[in-house]
Amino acid sequence: MKSRRILIVDDEPYNLMGLKIIIDACDKSKILKLIVDQATNGMEAYKAVKLATEKKQYEYGLIFMDCSMPILDGYEASDRIR
């Protein structure tokens, strides 16, 4: 079965940890084989998606994006990703 990737983006480490715990709890059976990547600002998220697109090895099925972050906020990052 192909692995599915999720990208979580937040500048607060506790929020990233909480989201990771929630996602892992939803995939207790490990049937979906979810892979969770993390970014701490919008620029990191944009670069992660761009790299995934260029390599064509995987794509993100879901991105959880915080709106208010340093360097590049969630709104601008989402616009660039689209």
Side-chain angles (χ1 to χ4, degrees):
M1 175 180 282
K2 186 175 181 180
S3 297
R4 298 170 190 244
R5 289 181 100 98
I6 295 175
L7 178 62
I8 54 177
V9 188
D10 201 306
D11 58 324
E12 293 292 331
Y14 291 111
N15 291 346
L16 287 172
M17 187 180 350
L19 281 168
K20 177 84 168 89
I21 290 169
I22 291 168
I23 292 167
D24 287 345
C26 291
D27 190 30
K28 281 184 183 177
S29 64
K30 301 295 181 198
I31 292 172
L32 295 177
K33 296 183 183 179
L34 296 175
I35 297 173
V36 181
D37 295 331
Q38 300 179 8
T40 58
N41 62 60
M43 185 57 73
E44 287 181 9
Y46 172 70
K47 287 179 180 179
V49 172
K50 185 176 176 184
L51 181 66
T53 304
E54 288 172 355
K55 287 189 171 186
K56 296 182 181 174
Q57 294 175 345
Y58 60 89
E59 62 183 29
Y60 292 105
L62 183 63
I63 300 174
F64 286 104
M65 180 86 68
D66 183 17
C67 294
S68 177
M69 293 180 290
I71 303 175
L72 188 65
D73 67 30
Y75 296 111
E76 183 65 27
S78 296
D79 283 342
R80 288 186 186 188
I81 289 169
R82 284 189 201 132

